[in-house]
Amino acid sequence: MAGITSSLSMLLLLSFASILLTGCSTSLNDRKAYIVYMGNKRNEVSTSSLYTSMLQDVIGSHIGPESLLYSYKRSFHGFAVELTEQEAQKMAGLDGVVSVFPNQKKELHTTRSWDFLGLPIPKQVDRKTIESNIIIGVFDTGIWPESDSFNDKGFGPPPSKWKGKCQSSTDFTCNNKIIGARYYRGNKLFEKEDVQSPRDSDGHGTHVASIAAGNLVNMASVQGLGLGTARGGFPSARIAVYKVCFGGCYDADILAAFDDAIADGVDIISISLGGSAKSYFTDTIAIGAFHAMRNGILTSTSIGNRGPSLGTISNFSPWSLSVAASTIDRKFYTKVQLGNNKIYEGISINTFDLKNKTYPIIYGGDAPNKKANVVSYISRYCDVGTLDKKLVKGKIVLCDAENEGIGQLSAGAVGTVMQGRSPSDASFAFPLPAAYVSLEDGGSIYSYINSTRSPTATILKTNERKDLYAPYVAEFSSRGPSPAAHNILKPDLAAPGVEIVAAWSPISPISDVSSDKRAFSYNIISGTSMSCPHGSGAAAYIKSLHPTWSPAAIKSALMTTAVPMSPEESSGAEFAYGAGNINPHKGANPGLIYDIDALDYIAFLCGQGYSTKLLQAVTGDSSSCPKGTDGKVFDLNYPSFALSTSSSNSISHVFNRTITNVGTSTSTYKAKVSAPPGLSIKVNPSVLSFTCLKQKLSFTLTIEGTIDRQIVSTSLIWDDGTFQVRSPIVVHAF
């Protein structure tokens, strides 16, 4: 009996040990990458020893600096490391830590546009002037350096302020246009198709870089579509490439790029990607842009492609430029001609030429892959594997929803017509002849298919025409309000982001489908990814003319000179387009600016509820939150006015603003404002007289009354007869 008891005891002991070991193993396996953000750089701190000490306090004495994925130390403090959830919580409680958050994956927000904006083609300039000293840092998928858009003919050596480097390899070198290039992959996990250099195998990074600062390239097009002179907003600028995206764009890599770009000496940062963060200091783009701002660098960001619903915006920090996507006056369309000679107009970027030859057309719901037990209700969507190849091969397929065209192509279709999209939406390329038509036209095509024994059709090459309604905000463009501060109007403005022709990586299919073997040097794509570099290029242009202006001054110039847009044509009103459509030519000489410095943003953050201790960690100085900073949220010297309220409440609120004269030395501005029904809006004083340049004068704007709609808006215009300095005013019930 004693032997049995002893055996049982040993078995229980072994089982318990097994449980402990299993639990330990699970804990280790549960580790994932976290970012430990510690605020501004402190010169007196040895980052290596500090980070190691912190890791040992949290994980154990066996952990060393080799465990770090990244050590951020050039422009701010922090590191990326793999932790369990419990270790992350413990790390967050250590002294000096601002925030600890998971290393999440962000997504990419994806010719004529600059002409449409009224920015003239630049004259040949001496590139030794300040223009060629402007450096735009592009955070994206890399760049295709051989593109004509990045030829360095006429450029001298990089400016002396440049402290960056070029990660050269056998397949990549920089030049005097692309003066720096780095790539980031903290976890060192690469896919087989990844190019381990700054070279762009995706196309997206090349596209956005050429929109911001590409050279003038004559006769650029996509198989004749969009034919014209491709150019960036500021062709004289240099480009510094920070490749942070390999299939996805991870926070740890993005923050490492900010750490480098700020120290490298860029003037503008352009970042066409984003995620779903809801607060400033758990978002790497907001964190990086904050430190960029403190170093005199404006960050231009895309706002996401999740519209038209309100509250979908990404990248909403007040110290960055948030750019929505608007249309230009060129529209691409693709015609579908049926065997009965009726023609229906759809949208796509179709470079395939069927030479007017007609093919049998079949409805996807009539061709289910029965071998895979697919029913017609499923096959009508034409997804991969749902179509019967014998029924579809050599035919055009009508489908009930948009997809990438892979299902139709793999089933042997020669073309596809998809139904359900509004003709005002953006056009995209597909790996086979394709057109997207409205539900009404799709219904007519379906009726035709069922009206004859041998229905036929053809899909014509895409054509283009003038869009008389432009500019308006694209449906896909995300909308405000900001989730972090409803009393800061976001987005800031809109810029072209629909069907933009720009440079492309020739090894990347224009349809983003690997089986598509078309190799083009230019592509037509849409997204707030495209609008963002329009903001970047315009900001670089203004920076070249006013090199001492702060990031906020540059942003103010672009916002107060933006072209007003119509809420009837852009759902969401100011939450769709902010101050309006960008006008870089007028932005170069705005008359007045609303300037903001780093201390103003600290006061704003105090009003948002951030503590003195946290803000001192962020800034690395003795910044503190004085009493009575609640109103600083409203009094941030922003070039727009937003007030969140309840539709049932009576409103009485005062905004304080200060404007700086950058127009003519002696000038008198009069305030012009028209209050919407139910509101009273007064400006005091209503006349401001300036006696010299750089003079600052303050005023108050008082709003009283009630609103009976979700969004009520108007604008304040300061007018001296030469300059009209416009700021939107929005009262909303969110």
Side-chain angles (χ1 to χ4, degrees):
M1 184 71 180
I4 296 174
T5 303
S6 176
S7 298
L8 284 172
S9 298
M10 182 61 71
L11 184 60
L12 288 170
L13 185 61
L14 289 171
S15 298
F16 182 63
S18 175
I19 290 169
L20 287 175
L21 288 170
T22 302
C24 180
S25 175
T26 302
S27 177
L28 290 173
N29 289 338
D30 281 348
R31 280 207 171 109
K32 61 182 181 181
Y34 282 85
I35 292 166
V36 181
Y37 169 57
M38 300 178 64
N40 200 50
K41 182 179 178 182
R42 298 163 181 79
N43 294 328
E44 72 277 7
V45 177
S46 170
T47 56
S48 179
S49 60
L50 174 63
Y51 299 165
T52 300
S53 175
M54 293 172 67
L55 285 171
Q56 291 175 348
D57 285 348
V58 170
I59 301 176
S61 59
H62 62 286
I63 296 297
E66 68 280 356
S67 302
L68 297 176
L69 299 177
Y70 281 113
S71 175
Y72 309 123
K73 54 190 177 184
R74 297 187 70 198
S75 304
F76 44 81
H77 265 170
F79 54 92
V81 66
E82 290 192 344
L83 302 169
T84 65
E85 187 175 346
Q86 291 76 18
E87 289 166 348
Q89 291 174 355
K90 187 176 180 181
M91 185 71 75
L94 296 183
D95 188 47
V97 173
V98 176
S99 57
V100 178
F101 52 94
N103 175 32
Q104 295 180 328
K105 183 168 71 173
K106 286 181 165 55
E107 60 187 15
L108 295 164
H109 289 155
T110 290
T111 64
R112 163 122 185 97
S113 56
W114 291 108
D115 295 329
F116 177 66
L117 293 175
L119 188 64
I121 294 178
K123 298 176 181 178
Q124 291 298 316
V125 296
D126 178 2
R127 296 196 187 277
K128 294 179 181 179
T129 66
I130 195 168
E131 290 197 6
S132 62
N133 287 336
I134 299 298
I135 305 167
I136 300 177
V138 181
F139 293 22
D140 215 280
T141 63
I143 200 165
W144 192 265
E146 292 83 9
S147 170
D148 290 341
S149 291
F150 311 121
N151 187 298
D152 69 348
K153 182 179 180 181
F155 284 88
S160 58
K161 67 178 180 179
W162 176 242
K163 307 301 181 189
K165 70 176 185 179
C166 183
Q167 283 184 281
S168 300
S169 64
T170 55
D171 79 327
F172 188 94
T173 56
C174 295
N175 59 27
N176 285 329
K177 174 71 173 178
I178 305 170
I179 61 173
R182 302 172 184 261
Y183 68 98
Y184 302 83
R185 194 64 163 174
N187 60 16
K188 303 296 189 291
L189 298 177
F190 294 95
E191 300 295 333
K192 184 179 179 181
E193 64 272 15
D194 288 337
V195 177
Q196 296 183 44
S197 81
R199 181 173 294 280
D200 180 17
S201 61
D202 179 274
H204 191 276
T206 300
H207 202 269
V208 299
S210 67
I211 292 172
N215 299 326
L216 277 67
V217 180
N218 295 322
M219 303 299 289
S221 72
V222 179
Q223 292 288 89
L225 297 176
L227 180 65
T229 299
R231 62 175 172 122
F234 197 54
S236 297
R238 317 292 185 121
I239 296 171
V241 177
Y242 300 86
K243 183 177 178 179
V244 296
C245 301
F246 286 85
C249 319
Y250 283 92
D251 281 325
D253 301 324
I254 294 166
L255 203 56
F258 268 109
D259 191 29
D260 283 333
I262 295 168
D264 287 346
V266 303
D267 296 288
I268 304 292
I269 290 174
S270 184
I271 182 162
S272 291
L273 49 100
S276 56
K278 301 299 182 185
S279 63
Y280 302 129
F281 295 118
T282 58
D283 175 28
T284 50
I285 296 177
I287 290 169
F290 182 84
H291 290 282
M293 173 274 298
R294 285 172 58 90
N295 285 273
I297 303 164
L298 177 62
T299 301
S300 177
T301 65
S302 53
I303 65 165
N305 302 328
R306 299 175 183 173
S309 298
L310 295 174
T312 52
I313 187 171
S314 298
N315 300 324
F316 42 77
S317 67
W319 43 81
S320 62
L321 180 67
S322 306
V323 189
S326 60
T327 60
I328 61 173
D329 63 344
R330 177 183 62 201
K331 186 69 186 169
F332 295 103
Y333 63 95
T334 303
K335 291 181 177 179
V336 178
Q337 184 170 337
L338 304 181
N340 60 5
N341 291 323
K342 288 190 175 181
I343 295 176
Y344 297 93
E345 191 173 285
I347 56 174
S348 70
I349 303 298
N350 179 40
T351 65
F352 297 103
D353 188 359
L354 295 180
K355 302 185 183 303
N356 292 321
K357 181 180 178 181
T358 60
Y359 293 85
I361 184 170
I362 187 172
Y363 176 54
D366 295 333
N369 182 4
K370 294 181 179 179
K371 289 183 178 179
N373 296 318
V374 175
V375 295
S376 61
Y377 180 80
I378 300 299
S379 67
R380 67 193 182 101
Y381 297 114
C382 303
D383 291 329
V384 175
T386 64
L387 297 171
D388 186 326
K389 293 183 179 181
K390 291 182 179 179
L391 294 175
V392 168
K393 186 176 181 180
K395 298 177 182 177
I396 293 172
V397 188
L398 174 66
C399 306
D400 279 350
E402 181 185 21
N403 55 42
E404 292 182 317
I406 302 174
Q408 300 92 308
L409 185 67
S410 61
V414 297
T416 183
V417 179
M418 295 167 281
Q419 58 175 325
R421 174 173 282 234
S422 165
S424 65
D425 283 348
S427 299
F428 297 94
F430 297 90
L432 74 171
Y436 206 126
V437 299
S438 66
L439 278 173
E440 182 181 358
D441 287 348
S444 298
I445 295 172
Y446 176 76
S447 296
Y448 163 71
I449 291 173
N450 289 303
S451 69
T452 177
R453 295 181 62 182
S454 302
T456 60
T458 190
I459 301 171
L460 306 181
K461 281 188 69 175
T462 295
N463 214 324
E464 60 186 83
R465 64 160 171 256
K466 196 173 185 67
D467 185 348
L468 300 176
Y469 297 100
Y472 49 88
V473 174
E475 286 288 291
F476 63 74
S477 186
S478 292
R479 265 67 169 173
S482 160
H486 283 191
N487 296 306
I488 297 293
L489 179 62
K490 286 287 179 172
D492 293 310
L493 46 72
V498 178
E499 298 170 359
I500 305 300
V501 178
W504 192 250
S505 171
I507 62 172
S508 177
I510 67 167
S511 64
D512 203 28
V513 175
S514 59
S515 57
D516 184 353
K517 301 304 180 185
R518 290 171 293 174
F520 296 156
S521 297
Y522 289 83
N523 197 5
I524 301 168
I525 55 176
S526 301
T528 56
S529 281
M530 285 65 253
S531 56
C532 165
H534 279 89
S536 312
Y541 170 60
I542 293 175
K543 178 78 172 179
S544 74
L545 299 173
H546 306 284
T548 62
W549 278 13
S550 69
I554 294 171
K555 185 164 76 167
S556 172
L558 290 172
M559 290 176 64
T560 60
T561 58
V563 178
M565 300 180 76
S566 169
E568 283 75 29
E569 295 171 355
S570 302
S571 65
E574 279 79 6
F575 289 129
Y577 47 73
N581 208 45
I582 197 169
N583 186 344
H585 187 58
K586 284 191 68 176
N589 194 13
L592 302 172
I593 55 172
Y594 294 77
D595 208 355
I596 308 173
D597 63 23
L599 291 177
D600 296 324
Y601 288 117
I602 296 301
F604 163 80
L605 290 168
C606 291
Q608 286 278 90
Y610 290 90
S611 68
T612 292
K613 182 180 179 181
L614 183 143
L615 291 175
Q616 286 179 350
V618 170
T619 62
D621 57 28
S622 58
S623 299
S624 62
C625 292
K627 293 181 179 180
T629 54
D630 290 348
K632 293 300 182 181
V633 174
F634 298 98
D635 292 339
L636 182 67
N637 203 38
Y638 219 69
S640 60
F641 303 84
L643 179 60
S644 176
T645 185
S646 168
S647 57
S648 61
N649 287 349
S650 179
I651 303 163
S652 181
H653 187 80
V654 180
F655 293 90
N656 294 283
R657 292 290 190 271
T658 299
I659 44 182
T660 305
N661 181 25
V662 294
T664 53
S665 57
T666 303
S667 54
T668 298
Y669 285 84
K670 296 180 179 180
K672 296 181 178 180
V673 61
S674 177
L679 293 179
S680 167
I681 302 178
K682 295 180 180 178
V683 180
N684 185 36
S686 61
V687 177
L688 294 175
S689 296
F690 294 91
T691 57
C692 62
L693 290 174
K694 298 184 180 180
Q695 183 182 1
K696 298 177 183 290
L697 294 175
S698 299
F699 68 93
T700 61
L701 184 142
T702 304
I703 302 177
E704 295 179 333
T706 58
I707 61 173
D708 59 0
R709 300 190 304 275
Q710 197 173 35
I711 305 173
V712 175
S713 63
T714 184
S715 61
L716 165 66
I717 300 175
W718 287 104
D719 191 344
D720 74 339
T722 300
F723 299 103
Q724 291 75 44
V725 185
R726 178 182 173 274
S727 295
I729 302 170
V730 179
V731 182
H732 61 95
F734 286 105

